């Protein structure tokens, strides 16, 4: 197991956001975390990247006990917003974020920047300021930043919200390609048709994992082959 | 090394943003030019009614570009009241009395200066000489208030620039993204402080050069010493702006810090004499960086002090920078625990 959450709980000001989370993520898989907004998805991600620390339980990322500064070397993260410097060119954005990783030497960094720009088809717009980019271009550049240092684990917060179907397909093709290379991809989403593209899914509801299994298996649990039903069932129980 | 990458990024980003560049480099020059004209020596020549003055004094007054009209005692007083003249100067039991309409500070300062000059010419070292309210009579208000405004304007602009730019990093999540790279928190804070420090420095040098060589403000001490104080003050503004931005969720909330953080500092910068403030409120100045900077600037610009004479003020500014630098490193824990 590459990533392991063990009995992880987290509260903010007495309100429990995550309750005894147990999760494992493997190499070469696309792992989806799905849940309505407020379910605790972002908190889960923030725990994994070390932005906040857990009240209870342990999180292991490869050989590191999170939070660990060194663990960040193998993490790539694409936030929900584009999180780019609008007054810089696409290339300068990549060079800046790339400069934060020791393992990328100058010549190597330049080479990688060229590579990822080609990958997301932005080579021609590399010198343009990001402020002049379209929404789709920004999203692609944002992905390029996350891929720049060839991370072992790629975390994507709602990666394809608000982008056109063509680009969406392209981005997912890229995820499958990365998976083939043995990487772990963690996707959070609240969109069902995106969730079913993952290999395995964890259903997060009110801070608890209500189900975690392969997508096919999850779908087979329901009458109409829809993940919504699993949530609805859970919701019904609680009321 | 990473710090340097951050410094370079901030420089490039700011240079690419024309508005920010304008705010740093053009706005202070514009404001100073405006202040220069508002407070500087104007072409204004006052009209003074007189009664029973010695002939030589009248000649001297005319020498000072004052229009002099001879009035009777009651006539003169009435003229001041209905503002047909600016002031009434008369002798009463061998004592010279000046009746003046005091609502306009600039006008009254011009008149008092003219009368002082006239009596000085007439009777140097004599008993008529009054205490000089406005320093060297050759200097305008601009020269005397300039040092305060140098400190205040430069602090204000850099505070806004650094604060807003930090808030933006928050709202568009670039800070979050930066903090997921293995960069250390102190490297980020140092990078930011130095990055904006470059612009603070640029602004200080440009502004000082402008007031000295274009506006001809008299700087008694060395320009280098004044520059050092200005740069330290701007660095304080960077650190304080960044710190305040932590408690602001958007650009407008950053603006809300202006009345809280910036305006009180203007009050305590030397515009108002601190000795006369009741209830010892003057001690509040001790927690305001602008106070120390203006104190040092005053010593250098007006009294011609050297850097070694303002070492305590410089030290105070360095303490502010150090304090907020460390606070900022802790504040970044909000993004990453380690």
């Amino acid at each position: 197991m590459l990533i392991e959450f063990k009995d992880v709980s987290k509260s903010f000001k007495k309100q429990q956001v995550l309750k005894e989370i147990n999760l494992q993520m493997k190499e070469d898989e696309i792992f989806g975390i799905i849940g309505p907004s407020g379910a605790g998805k972002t908190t889960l991600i923030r725990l994994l990247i070390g932005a906040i620390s857990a009240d209870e339980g342990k999180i292991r990322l490869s050989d590191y006990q999170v939070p660990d500064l060194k663990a960040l070397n193998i993490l790539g993260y694409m936030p929900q917003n584009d999180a780019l410097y609008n007054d810089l060119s696409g290339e300068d954005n990549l060079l800046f974020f790339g400069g934060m990783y020791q393992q990328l030497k100058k010549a190597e960094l330049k080479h990688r920047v060229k590579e990822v720009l080609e990958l997301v088809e932005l080579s021609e717009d590399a010198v343009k300021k990001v402020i002049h980019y379209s929404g789709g271009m920004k999203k692609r550049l944002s992905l390029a930043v996350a891929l720049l240092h060839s991370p072992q684990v790629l975390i994507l917060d709602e990666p394809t919200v608000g982008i056109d179907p063509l680009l969406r397909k392209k981005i997912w093709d890229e995820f499958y390609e990365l998976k083939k290379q043995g990487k772990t991809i963690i996707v959070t989403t609240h969109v069902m048709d995106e969730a079913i593209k993952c290999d395995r899914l964890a259903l997060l509801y009110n801070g608890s994992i209500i189900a975690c299994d392969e997508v096919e298996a999850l779908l087979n649990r329901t009458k109409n082959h829809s993940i919504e039903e699993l949530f609805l069932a859970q919701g019904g129980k609680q009321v | 090394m990473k710090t340097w990458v951050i410094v370079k990024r901030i420089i490039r980003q700011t240079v690419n943003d024309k508005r920010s560049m304008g705010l740093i480099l053009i706005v202070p020059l514009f404001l100073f030019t405006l202040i220069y004209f508002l407070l500087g020596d104007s072409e204004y020549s006052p009209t003074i009614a007189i009664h029973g003055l010695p002939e030589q004094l009248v000649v001297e007054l005319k020498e000072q570009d004052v229009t002099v009209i001879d009035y009777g005692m009651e006539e003169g007083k009435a003229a001041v009241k209905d503002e047909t003249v600016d002031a009434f100067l008369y002798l009463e039991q061998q004592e010279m009395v000046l009746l003046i309409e005091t609502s306009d500070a600039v006008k009254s300062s011009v008149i008092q200066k003219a009368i002082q000059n006239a009596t000085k010419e007439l009777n140097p070292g004599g008993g008529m000489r009054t205490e000089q309210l406005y320093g060297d009579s050759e200097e305008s208000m601009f020269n005397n208030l300039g040092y305060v405004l140098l400190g205040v304007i430069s602090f204000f602009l850099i505070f806004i620039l650094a604060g807003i730019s930090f808030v933006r990093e928050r709202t568009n999540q670039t800070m979050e993204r930066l903090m997921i790279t293995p960069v250390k928190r102190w490297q980020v804070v140092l990078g930011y402080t130095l990055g904006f420090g470059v612009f603070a420095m640029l602004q200080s040098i440009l502004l000082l050069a402008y007031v000295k060589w274009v506006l001809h403000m008299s700087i008694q001490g060395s320009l280098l010493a004044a520059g050092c104080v200005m740069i330290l003050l701007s660095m304080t503004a960077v650190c304080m702006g960044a710190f305040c931005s932590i408690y602001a969720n958007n650009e407008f909330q950053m603006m809300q810090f202006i009345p809280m953080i910036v305006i009180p500092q203007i009050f305590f910068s030397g515009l108002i004499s601190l000795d006369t403030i009741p209830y010892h409120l003057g001690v509040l100045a001790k927690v305001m960086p602008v106070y120390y900077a203006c104190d040092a600037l005053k010593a250098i610009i007006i009294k011609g002090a050297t850097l070694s004479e303002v070492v305590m003020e410089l030290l105070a500014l360095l303490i502010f920078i150090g304090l907020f630098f460390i606070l900022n490193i802790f504040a970044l824990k909000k993004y990453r625990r380690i």
Side-chain angles (χ1 to χ4, degrees), chain A residues 49-51 53 68-69 72-73 77 79 81-85 87-88 92 96 100-102 129 142 145, chain B residues 2 5-6 9 12-13 16 169 171-174 176-177 180-184 334-338:
Chain A
I49 65 182
S53 39
D68 187 330
L69 204 59
L72 297 175
N73 279 309
Y77 176 49
N81 290 3
D82 296 318
L84 300 163
Y85 295 104
D87 291 316
L88 296 181
D92 284 341
F96 170 68
M100 296 296 117
Y101 295 92
Q102 272 118 342
K129 272 203 233 172
S142 181
V145 173
Chain B
K2 285 178 191 173
V5 175
I6 297 174
R9 193 262 296 164
R12 184 164 294 172
Q13 200 185 358
N16 280 354
E169 293 242 2
T171 48
N172 69 12
Q173 287 192 323
T174 44
E176 202 179 338
R177 181 166 234 163
I180 198 174
T181 68
V183 68
K184 295 191 176 67
K334 195 171 169 183
Y335 299 95
R336 197 177 70 196
R337 299 300 299 170
I338 40 162

Side-chain angles (χ1 to χ4, degrees), chain B residues 145-206:
Chain B
L145 285 181
Y147 70 88
V148 173
L149 297 164
L150 270 177
V152 168
I153 290 179
S154 142
F155 181 88
F156 182 61
L157 293 178
I158 297 287
F159 177 86
I160 292 290
L161 178 85
I164 297 270
S165 131
F166 253 100
V167 169
R168 276 202 194 146
E169 293 242 2
R170 280 252 301 289
T171 48
N172 69 12
Q173 287 192 323
T174 44
M175 185 55 86
E176 202 179 338
R177 181 166 234 163
L178 181 58
M179 292 312 285
I180 198 174
T181 68
V183 68
K184 295 191 176 67
R185 278 183 284 131
W186 66 265
Q187 291 172 320
V188 175
V189 177
L190 187 62
Y192 268 88
T193 312
L194 292 180
F196 286 114
V198 168
F199 292 101
M201 211 179 294
L202 212 62
Q203 185 193 61
S204 302
I205 293 166
L206 186 73

Side-chain angles (χ1 to χ4, degrees), chain A residues 190-210:
Chain A
H190 64 271
V191 191
M192 303 301 160
D193 59 345
E194 190 146 274
I196 55 170
K197 288 185 182 150
C198 300
D199 298 324
R200 283 199 308 144
L201 266 185
L203 273 59
L204 200 58
Y205 188 82
N206 269 348
S208 302
I209 305 278
I210 55 170

